[in-house]
Amino acid sequence: MRSAPTILHLDMDAFYASAEQAAKPSLRGKAVVVGGLGPRGVVATASYEARRFGVHSAMPTAQARRLAPHAAYLTPRFTLYRDVSNQVMGLLRQLSPLVEPLSLDEAFVDLEAGGAAFGSSSAREVGERLRADIRRVTGLSGSVGLAVSKMLAKIGSERAKPDGLVLIEPGTERELLAPLPVRVLPGVGPATGDHLRRAGITTVDEIAQAGQDELVRLLGRAHGTGLYAMALALDERPVVSEREGKSVSVEDTYDLDIHDRVRVRGEVARLAERCTRRLREAGRSGRTVVLKVRRYDFSTLTRSETLRGPTDDPAVVREAAARLLEGVDTTGGVRLLGVGVSGLADYTQEDLFAQAAAVSGEQGEAPEGAEAEPVLPVAPTVPQERRWPAGHDVVHTTYGHGWVQGSGVGRVTVRFETPTSAPGRVRTFRTDDPELSPSAPLPLVEEAGEE
């Protein structure tokens, strides 16, 4: 293990909620909750103002509303979050070629590999400069941990929150870890934590005191040996620059179970379009299409089809997902649908042949005298009412850019403001108002030279 604290862990502070506050001047300093807003919705991120009421991520939104009824409840805007994440990851890659993203708002960086830092003083300087650059470029804050290992750097960033920096000096690690709960160690989830608690082990120091043999007896050789090493502050895991996703998928949970088969087909087609859009944004293709269906009784079915070659063609994925759906009974109702593509590969020219064959339905010549399979008519698309998700961007031909505060009973309420304006006025329109339309998110920070 290295002797200098040159592993950096960055964790953006309440990322989704902070991005929404930066985008919406009227919400700054107020409780904001981002997540699913329906009866089955779950909190994705809560602002620090909302956390004071006990709201936290993974909590049912209905429970959050009881704790913080006056908070602003918004649906996620992943286009904005991805754009900001790309800006942050770009800053990290200026420091080192070894950047390991864990999510949109979290990453490890090996500063030594990039020649950015070689000791405590230079590492701290780089960390403070990074935090300043993130605020300058995105308007948001991030917390930084610096240590000799990934485990300790992540613990440091947690202790630094919000908007701080913690450097764990070499030689102080055991003292720091000793009183912390066992859940702080990588690999200790709820089940392992409960198992250790029943054995009388609740802190990291108690893991170290128990010894390796006892941990192996309790947890098995691989898990017990690894956990004992972590308790002694020994973590040899390197920062890995490429963490390729094994699949790309999208899914939706519905407030009310869907019973209409035509609508189920339409939802699957829409999910397939979203999935392939993400594939193309990532510059990838895949050869296995996966359909996920959770039915009214919470039973979850997964079906997959492997194509002859990788694809990012919406028509290919859509038709494969439709074929998979035909083998699933949805008569009792559907509460969740998902479409994914796995077996990812870099896109190649040869993929075009597999795509063309799949789209055309090419199967070779039928035996002489065989009856051709009838072509069934495609069900007409059912017009749907325009949806205005809370928090999403809109533009009005007269009033300009704004965001949806809420909608219902044929009306949509919009607050007209931008990231660089003062808090704006609220106006209400019909949901079918021809002058109102969805819009792309605006940058959180004006670029240099912009007026």
Side-chain angles (χ1 to χ4, degrees), residues 281-350:
E281 288 173 354
R284 309 302 302 281
S285 61
R287 55 183 302 130
T288 300
V289 178
V290 181
L291 175 71
K292 178 179 177 182
V293 180
R294 181 166 297 149
R295 298 188 291 191
Y296 69 99
D297 58 358
F298 286 90
S299 62
T300 302
L301 304 177
T302 303
R303 300 288 185 267
S304 64
E305 176 181 319
T306 299
L307 308 172
R308 282 182 284 176
T311 185
D312 68 351
D313 189 309
V316 174
V317 176
R318 186 174 61 246
E319 292 179 13
R323 288 193 295 272
L324 293 170
L325 178 63
E326 291 308 309
V328 177
D329 180 11
T330 63
T331 52
V334 170
R335 60 189 296 121
L336 177 146
L337 290 168
V339 174
V341 175
S342 61
L344 300 188
D346 292 330
Y347 190 83
T348 58
Q349 185 66 29
E350 286 78 11

Side-chain angles (χ1 to χ4, degrees), residues 5 12 20 26-27 32 41-42 48 90 107 158 194 220 233 250 253 259 264 272 282 312 347 359 393 396-397 426:
M12 300 295 289
E20 297 297 348
S26 58
L27 297 184
V32 174
V42 174
Y48 286 98
E158 285 295 322
D194 286 345
V250 296
T253 301
H259 294 83
V264 172
D312 68 351
Y347 190 83
V359 172
D393 299 85
H396 192 274
T397 55
V426 175

